[in-house]
Amino acid sequence: LKSNGEARRALKENSISVNKEKVKDDYQITTADLINNKFVLLQRGKKNYFVLQVVD
């Protein structure tokens, strides 16, 4: 998102998902969220998907 404020608003609106599960504003991504020990799928709304690759 463009700013921290925009990210906070999106979390309050419950429009953020991690691996297709809705998250609240106090959620932290952990190693349990990793897909194939490498990726995390983020979603904002219905059409905006982002894949994060975790690098050691």
Side-chain angles (χ1 to χ4, degrees):
L1 300 170
K2 294 180 182 179
S3 68
N4 287 338
E6 187 177 348
R8 284 187 203 98
R9 281 190 295 278
L11 285 166
K12 284 183 181 181
E13 294 168 357
N14 201 26
S15 65
I16 303 292
S17 298
V18 174
N19 297 333
K20 300 295 261 180
E21 295 183 20
K22 295 287 186 180
V23 296
K24 300 287 182 187
D25 58 350
D26 60 347
Y27 187 80
Q28 291 186 1
I29 295 175
T30 64
T31 56
D33 295 315
L34 294 177
I35 300 170
N36 290 336
N37 296 322
K38 199 182 238 189
F39 302 103
V40 176
L41 177 66
L42 295 179
Q43 180 182 2
R44 179 171 188 238
K46 291 184 179 181
K47 297 180 182 177
N48 298 312
Y49 288 89
F50 305 93
V51 176
L52 300 179
Q53 181 178 6
V54 178
V55 180
D56 291 335

